Amino acid sequence: MQHNILATMRSLKIIDGCKGTQLYSLNTAATAGCGGVGDKLLQHIHDHIKSQTLRTKSVHSIQLSNLPDTVVTAEGTFLPYGLPVKEILEPKIEPSFIPIDFVERLADVYRRIEDCPQFEKSGMFLEQCAVFRGLGDHKLFRQSLRLMRQHAVDVHMKIVVASWLRYERREDELLGLSSMDCCGRNLECVKASLVPGYDPESVYDSCMCSRNLMVVDDDDEVEECSTSLEEENGDMSFCIGENEIRCRRFNMASLSRPFKTMLYGGFVESWREKINFSRTGFSAEVMRAADIFSRTKKLDQFEPNLVLELLSLANRFCCEEMKSACDAYLASLICDLENAVLLVEYGLEERAYLLVAACLQVVLRELPSSMHCSGVTKLFCSPEGRDRLALAGHASFVLYYFLSQIAMEEEMRSNTTVMLLERLVECSTDGWEKQLAYHLLGVVMLERKEYKDAQHWFEAAVEAGHIYSSLGIARAKYKRGHTYSAYKMMNSLISDYKPVGWMYQERSLYCAGKEKMMDLISATELDPTLSYPYKYRAVSLLDDNKIGPAIAEISKIICFKVSPDCLELRAWFLIAMEDYEGALRDVRAILTLDPNYMMFYGNMHSDHLVELLYPAVQQWSQADCWMQLYERWSSVDDIGSLAVVHQMLANDPGKSLLRFRQSLLLLRLNSQKAAMRSLRLARNHSTSDHERLVYEGWILYDTGHREEALVKAEESISIQRSFEAYFLKAYALADSVLDSESSKYVIHLLEQALGCPSDGLRKGQALNNLGSVYVDCDKLDLAADCYMNALNIKHTRAHQGLARVYHLKNHRKAAYDEMTKLIKKARSNASAYEKRSEYCDRDMAKSDLSMATWLDPLRTYPYRYRAAVLMDDHKEAEAISELTRAIGFKPDLQLLHLRAAFHDSMGDYISTVRDCEAALCLDPNHAETLDLCKKAQERIKEQE
């Protein structure tokens, strides 16, 4: 296959490397020598568990006779916390918008985005956001957020989406940065967000904050203006108490229709020179300010308190121009949470749209900490607060969707979360909005064990059209003791709709024996990414005293989808085997993914378990850790590498380079949120400006701010040449279609990086990527030298690049042998099997691709290859079925495009258009799909 420079440069972030984890063998002999330490460890755990009050009866009821021999220690005791119990395992109901058919929904969303008026596109991209969140693709989700902000018309939408984009980067966690700091583009700029109007082409421009504007000191001008106004005589007066404020009748009348009627209408005030204004409640100062504004249209010289009163006056007498000026002036002053909480009350009282927007913007950019302020909570959570926001034009579905997502991340079962979701329901209008709002409330109520309310909201969601919420109804019925009713419901769902993996998974909860296992097998076949079937089968094997196969079963999903719960289960099994080293590895990986994770049904913090396991394993110095990291990195053992880095950070928590290394591993494991957290910690622990700039650049790049990332890299290089700064710049520049000159520049940057001090691990990556660029420039000998040098410092992935060079030189056997070396060395080798398939005959290729799919069913190339082979053999239905199988759990651009092409070749143009539109929803600029879709649409018109 041809690879462009971007694809090969991806390994700078280690995304395209081999993924997965090995299946761990059971070595009881290895554990025999640490029996004393093991006994002590078990006693420690026993002491900890005894202090807990949340243990379930089912865990305590495990009998010794049911446990494998490996659980028994020298003293004949068994694990005091028990072993995992399958009856307690339960699949998660996703708190997301899950269509019954993602492809149909993606196609429908794309069509409506294309057809809707420009001013309505922002709302359509909000729906697309919800769909992408259901897919679990954070990159696509952020892409839709940016499109929402780009097409936002009103200020409210701009401030909410800009704040959401910032929240996705979590810049609040960066030391030394204020929530109001700007990233340099209109996209997230606090000032640009307060500018009304539709201007989609400007959002990626540099904002005013980033420009070096000359500040003009106009104090003298204001003072001169004020003096001249005082000297200028008016022709009438407003009297307030003993104060007489001289004004010009014409100017005051021009402020509003009420003033004009008063001063020129049929009232007595129209012919009086002095008008008594004492009973209005306004001060003499504010009337003086109103007079000055009527003449100058400026507010610069007034104190904020006076402008607040002037805003009230403007509201009372319908002075729209003056109100707008006061609104904008006060909005420009809001810069911290304290002022925002104080002034939002004034803004709501006076219905000052921009002032309320500015206050909301500060509150939203301070999330989640701002939700701990009672005033903020009352405003957002109470029905009265929502009504007040609505009157000011600031209550919307997008606002409460944002707030509820953060609340659910913080604490799903809290009252705050429930109240925000209730407000979300009140703000929902479109069908999909109601479906999502009802469903989220159902999920939260289920978590709170309020099963009757949960069932009510899930039923409302299903009635609104969200079929996935049927799971919630069945689960709520099951929790209320109506198991057969739940079973019948899921049975009906499978009969009425095209079966999906989650349907069989849910039905398995409500049956037993062979029927249950068959449902779990069907669930895995339809969607291998569902973790519950693996977990249940693993614990069932454990019940049958088959602890080795149990570990192998749970390791299957860990190979391609790493999650804390699955790692916990494997660690649990390994502790039972007294394989404390393996268990400690998994627990350290868990802590890297989720530092607050609680083990053993939520009864023990993972950190504490590390403390208990640590004495039971061989102790490593920091130098030993580096050696272990090299070993695991070179053998493509990502989880093992994560564990070593975690131990190194425990010894040296301020080492930013280790945090950065951690983020690279997490990206390869598709743990984007955890990777971003590690990057932010790397930035915060930076000991120099040039290092801090590099990590800020990676944060910007990984959240879609490529140009800003380049600026950070260049700033870092200007301070000090470093490996990482050149690496970042090369990576960011390579994220585009490169011509020959650009490729030469990327080569130059990588050579500069290699000339800077760094460790062997990073040098190996640089050499590997430099080789990839040389290959794309057809400099095969130079590429081979790079790969050989990388292999000499144990960069195992360079075997793949060297194989590519051999293949391009028509040395196919050498290419095959090179990939075989990688397969033997790499523990995570699905990618290696996939790549080796390109260098062998069809039968061997099919075998390698079958192994790749078995190790990692998320890799799409094997499905595309098998489908293409079936099409070549004129087995069209089977080819489409092969693609459909993968699309069912991973709607991928390439899979959809290929299936569309197959439909097109068979003359099924309606299906062609549907698949093209679904693919274009994922990438609206994919040229080949656009062309295929256009041709299919033309053929449909010809047939009509």
Side-chain angles (χ1 to χ4, degrees):
M1 289 178 63
Q2 281 291 352
H3 294 270
N4 59 30
I5 292 178
L6 173 58
T8 56
M9 290 292 289
R10 283 292 178 191
S11 56
L12 288 166
K13 280 170 62 180
I14 329 179
I15 292 178
D16 284 341
C18 308
K19 298 181 181 178
T21 309
Q22 73 278 18
L23 303 184
Y24 294 91
S25 61
L26 305 173
N27 188 353
T28 54
T31 64
C34 57
V37 179
D39 297 339
K40 187 176 179 181
L41 168 67
L42 294 177
Q43 186 58 47
H44 273 301
I45 297 177
H46 177 64
D47 292 341
H48 177 86
I49 295 297
K50 281 178 67 177
S51 67
Q52 305 299 314
T53 58
L54 301 178
R55 300 301 293 133
T56 60
K57 282 186 177 181
S58 55
V59 175
H60 281 302
S61 65
I62 298 177
Q63 301 298 318
L64 177 61
S65 60
N66 293 331
L67 298 177
D69 293 337
T70 50
V71 178
V72 181
T73 68
E75 298 176 6
T77 60
F78 58 92
L79 292 177
Y81 51 79
L83 290 174
V85 180
K86 61 189 179 185
E87 286 75 18
I88 297 178
L89 294 175
E90 197 171 87
K92 176 184 175 185
I93 294 180
E94 292 297 329
S96 302
F97 181 69
I98 309 288
I100 196 75
D101 186 332
F102 265 111
V103 174
E104 287 287 356
R105 192 68 183 201
L106 289 169
D108 178 61
V109 169
Y110 175 77
R111 280 194 299 272
R112 287 186 288 124
I113 288 173
E114 289 296 297
D115 296 340
C116 77
Q118 289 291 317
F119 290 168
E120 297 177 14
K121 283 189 181 293
S122 190
M124 285 303 309
F125 285 120
L126 174 61
E127 181 179 350
Q128 189 183 61
C129 274
V131 174
F132 287 158
R133 184 177 279 276
L135 279 174
D137 194 314
H138 297 294
K139 185 176 180 180
L140 288 174
F141 175 75
R142 286 195 298 267
Q143 173 184 297
S144 285
L145 277 181
R146 286 193 289 272
L147 289 167
M148 278 177 65
R149 172 62 185 89
Q150 180 177 355
H151 291 278
V153 177
D154 58 87
V155 167
H156 174 76
M157 179 69 87
K158 290 178 182 178
I159 63 163
V160 174
V161 181
S163 300
W164 203 337
L165 282 166
R166 182 185 174 84
Y167 178 79
E168 286 293 309
R169 289 194 288 124
R170 303 293 202 280
E171 283 208 348
D172 56 292
E173 295 181 13
L174 298 183
L175 299 177
L177 283 185
S178 162
S179 65
M180 301 301 283
D181 285 340
C182 184
C183 73
R185 301 286 180 186
N186 286 327
L187 189 71
E188 292 181 32
C189 176
V190 291
K191 294 179 181 177
S193 296
L194 291 172
V195 177
Y198 180 68
D199 190 6
E201 302 305 319
S202 71
V203 292
Y204 296 105
D205 295 342
S206 297
C207 65
M208 296 297 291
C209 306
S210 62
R211 300 173 193 168
N212 297 320
L213 300 176
M214 292 182 61
V215 178
V216 179
D217 187 357
D218 57 359
D219 288 348
D220 294 337
E221 181 184 341
V222 171
E223 184 177 348
E224 181 182 343
C225 175
S226 179
T227 303
S228 64
L229 287 171
E230 289 176 1
E231 293 173 353
E232 184 180 348
N233 292 324
D235 55 5
M236 52 85 62
S237 300
F238 287 103
C239 298
I240 299 177
E242 297 180 357
N243 298 295
E244 184 177 326
I245 301 95
R246 295 296 292 175
C247 302
R248 293 183 62 184
R249 185 181 293 270
F250 174 79
N251 292 102
M252 290 298 295
S254 67
L255 289 176
S256 70
R257 185 178 293 276
F259 270 122
K260 183 177 181 181
T261 303
M262 178 196 303
L263 298 175
Y264 285 109
F267 297 96
V268 293
E269 288 85 358
S270 63
W271 49 265
R272 285 182 178 175
E273 183 181 347
K274 297 182 180 181
I275 300 173
N276 187 351
F277 233 57
S278 298
R279 294 184 179 180
T280 61
F282 292 109
S283 66
E285 288 77 9
V286 80
M287 289 308 299
R288 215 171 265 118
D291 170 55
I292 293 173
F293 179 82
S294 72
R295 306 186 199 193
T296 66
K297 307 301 181 185
K298 293 181 180 180
L299 299 169
D300 310 48
Q301 66 192 88
F302 304 132
E303 292 294 321
N305 285 343
L306 187 57
V307 179
L308 281 170
E309 190 178 358
L310 194 61
L311 174 64
S312 182
L313 175 74
N315 246 342
R316 178 87 67 85
F317 291 93
C318 305
C319 306
E320 293 303 323
E321 183 182 13
M322 188 162 72
K323 178 181 178 179
S324 296
C326 292
D327 194 9
Y329 175 79
L330 291 168
S332 69
L333 301 179
I334 309 300
C335 59
D336 59 56
L337 186 60
E338 185 179 358
N339 284 335
V341 174
L342 176 66
L343 291 178
V344 73
E345 288 297 322
Y346 287 96
L348 291 169
E349 189 68 27
E350 302 298 339
R351 299 185 187 178
Y353 181 73
L354 281 180
L355 175 56
V356 174
C359 295
L360 281 182
Q361 181 166 240
V362 173
V363 171
L364 295 177
R365 290 171 77 97
E366 290 279 358
L367 289 168
S369 59
S370 59
M371 283 302 292
H372 299 299
C373 173
S374 59
V376 172
T377 305
K378 183 178 179 181
L379 176 63
F380 286 140
C381 295
S382 66
E384 297 78 16
R386 190 202 73 88
D387 291 341
R388 295 180 70 201
L389 285 170
L391 288 171
H394 287 286
S396 67
F397 184 86
V398 65
L399 171 66
Y400 281 99
Y401 186 25
F402 177 32
L403 292 171
S404 63
Q405 290 300 310
I406 294 175
M408 291 174 76
E409 285 181 18
E410 289 288 297
E411 176 47 65
M412 185 174 283
R413 293 184 289 269
S414 71
N415 291 334
T416 297
T417 303
V418 172
M419 288 187 287
L420 287 172
L421 288 172
E422 288 172 345
R423 305 293 81 78
L424 182 70
V425 167
E426 293 168 0
C427 291
S428 59
T429 53
D430 290 343
W432 77 267
E433 292 179 356
K434 290 185 180 295
Q435 293 173 31
L436 177 60
Y438 296 152
H439 178 74
L440 292 179
L441 253 177
V443 170
V444 169
M445 289 302 180
L446 196 68
E447 283 288 317
R448 287 162 63 97
K449 299 184 180 180
E450 299 177 21
Y451 302 127
K452 188 174 181 180
D453 287 340
Q455 183 174 336
H456 163 75
W457 289 113
F458 283 130
E459 287 172 344
V462 171
E463 188 175 345
H466 194 239
I467 305 304
Y468 179 75
S469 294
S470 300
L471 270 71
I473 300 174
R475 192 75 61 87
K477 287 182 175 182
Y478 171 64
K479 295 292 186 181
R480 297 174 68 192
H482 309 304
T483 305
Y484 184 62
S485 178
Y487 177 83
K488 283 175 60 182
M489 183 169 195
M490 294 312 302
N491 218 31
S492 176
L493 199 66
I494 291 170
S495 300
D496 294 344
Y497 296 94
K498 182 181 177 181
V500 187
W502 50 259
M503 295 180 184
Y504 285 99
Q505 175 179 268
E506 190 66 22
R507 190 174 71 174
S508 73
L509 290 179
Y510 315 128
C511 54
K514 290 184 179 179
E515 187 179 357
K516 185 184 192 78
M517 297 308 292
M518 289 300 295
D519 273 355
L520 291 174
I521 291 170
S522 297
T524 300
E525 288 175 350
L526 289 169
D527 186 352
T529 67
L530 297 171
S531 62
Y532 172 74
Y534 300 93
K535 291 162 69 175
Y536 186 90
R537 286 190 292 262
V539 178
S540 296
L541 288 165
L542 185 70
D543 288 347
D544 294 336
N545 295 346
K546 297 176 181 177
I547 194 166
I551 292 173
E553 179 65 28
I554 197 62
S555 293
K556 284 180 185 177
I557 190 167
I558 294 174
C559 282
F560 61 90
K561 185 182 178 183
V562 178
S563 63
D565 58 327
C566 291
L567 284 170
E568 176 195 11
L569 198 58
R570 190 169 71 180
W572 208 332
F573 295 159
L574 292 168
I575 292 172
M577 288 183 61
E578 299 184 28
D579 181 0
Y580 304 126
E581 187 173 329
L584 183 57
R585 174 205 59 225
D586 284 350
V587 178
R588 287 191 183 279
I590 289 169
L591 279 165
T592 307
L593 294 167
D594 182 357
N596 299 312
Y597 193 80
M598 301 293 289
M599 303 279 291
F600 310 137
Y601 304 113
N603 287 315
M604 182 187 289
H605 196 284
S606 301
D607 262 336
H608 186 61
L609 185 56
V610 168
E611 293 172 10
L612 297 175
L613 289 168
Y614 188 65
V617 302
Q618 182 181 352
Q619 306 301 302
W620 294 336
S621 66
Q622 201 74 342
D624 293 331
C625 286
W626 273 109
M627 293 297 294
Q628 292 292 332
L629 181 59
Y630 268 86
E631 183 63 33
R632 283 158 177 73
W633 194 284
S634 64
S635 63
V636 198
D637 178 7
D638 298 331
I639 292 176
S641 298
L642 272 185
V644 176
V645 172
H646 184 272
Q647 181 172 344
M648 295 170 79
L649 283 168
N651 299 332
D652 190 1
K655 194 76 171 177
S656 58
L657 177 62
L658 290 173
R659 297 283 182 190
F660 179 56
R661 181 72 37 72
Q662 191 179 66
S663 73
L664 297 176
L665 285 163
L666 288 164
L667 281 173
R668 192 161 72 214
L669 292 169
N670 293 321
S671 302
Q672 294 183 12
K673 286 190 176 181
M676 289 298 295
R677 183 176 62 247
S678 293
L679 263 180
R680 291 192 293 272
L681 288 170
R683 184 265 185 200
N684 287 345
H685 286 98
S686 299
T687 56
S688 63
D689 287 342
H690 75 87
E691 188 181 26
R692 173 181 55 78
L693 287 164
V694 168
Y695 300 142
E696 287 180 1
W698 279 116
I699 290 170
L700 286 165
Y701 181 83
D702 287 342
T703 51
H705 299 80
R706 176 177 170 273
E707 296 299 327
E708 291 86 342
L710 272 172
V711 170
K712 294 286 185 181
E714 288 163 359
E715 285 181 29
S716 180
I717 292 169
S718 70
I719 297 172
Q720 181 176 320
R721 289 161 40 92
S722 71
F723 178 93
E724 296 299 348
Y726 281 116
F727 220 52
L728 170 60
K729 188 173 181 181
Y731 183 74
L733 284 173
D735 190 7
S736 60
V737 178
L738 296 178
D739 55 25
S740 59
E741 288 301 314
S742 300
S743 297
K744 288 178 183 177
Y745 188 47
V746 171
I747 290 171
H748 167 72
L749 290 172
L750 289 171
E751 289 173 341
Q752 291 293 310
L754 287 164
C756 297
S758 183
D759 61 75
L761 295 174
R762 294 297 277 161
K763 294 263 185 179
Q765 288 177 278
L767 286 165
N768 190 65
N769 287 283
L770 181 57
S772 298
V773 182
Y774 277 138
V775 168
D776 290 324
C777 295
D778 202 28
K779 297 178 180 179
L780 300 184
D781 290 335
L782 289 174
D785 289 341
C786 287
Y787 292 130
M788 293 299 294
N789 289 332
L791 288 170
N792 288 337
I793 52 176
K794 291 191 173 182
H795 189 75
T796 308
R797 294 177 187 84
H799 282 298
Q800 183 166 317
L802 193 55
R804 184 182 175 203
V805 170
Y806 288 145
H807 177 64
L808 292 172
K809 288 184 173 183
N810 293 319
H811 300 155
R812 195 169 181 182
K813 177 67 167 58
Y816 181 89
D817 292 342
E818 202 65 34
M819 290 309 302
T820 302
K821 293 177 185 176
L822 178 57
I823 288 170
K824 290 178 179 179
K825 290 181 182 179
R827 297 194 179 183
S828 306
N829 53 19
S831 172
Y833 277 107
E834 178 183 299
K835 194 66 183 175
R836 191 177 70 171
S837 70
E838 298 179 27
Y839 310 134
C840 52
D841 59 36
R842 177 182 284 197
D843 289 338
M844 293 177 69
K846 287 171 68 176
S847 176
D848 275 355
L849 291 174
S850 294
M851 177 60 74
T853 298
W854 187 84
L855 292 170
D856 183 358
L858 293 177
R859 304 191 72 85
T860 61
Y861 173 74
Y863 300 99
R864 289 185 281 132
Y865 177 89
R866 288 190 289 264
V869 170
L870 288 166
M871 282 298 284
D872 287 345
D873 294 340
H874 304 289
K875 298 177 180 179
E876 292 86 354
E878 293 178 44
I880 288 174
S881 178
E882 177 70 20
L883 294 174
T884 301
R885 182 163 68 98
I887 290 169
F889 59 87
K890 187 177 181 180
D892 172 81
L893 173 66
Q894 296 296 335
L895 291 172
L896 287 165
H897 174 80
L898 186 59
R899 192 172 74 172
F902 286 176
H903 282 306
D904 185 69
S905 69
M906 296 168 64
D908 185 354
Y909 303 123
I910 293 176
S911 296
T912 301
V913 170
R914 178 205 59 203
D915 283 352
C916 283
E917 288 173 336
L920 290 169
C921 190
L922 303 174
D923 181 1
N925 299 314
H926 194 256
E928 292 179 4
T929 305
L930 282 167
D931 184 55
L932 180 61
C933 186
K934 183 179 178 181
K935 290 178 179 177
Q937 288 170 334
E938 290 173 354
R939 290 182 182 124
I940 290 173
K941 290 179 180 178
E942 291 172 1
Q943 291 177 350
E944 290 176 352

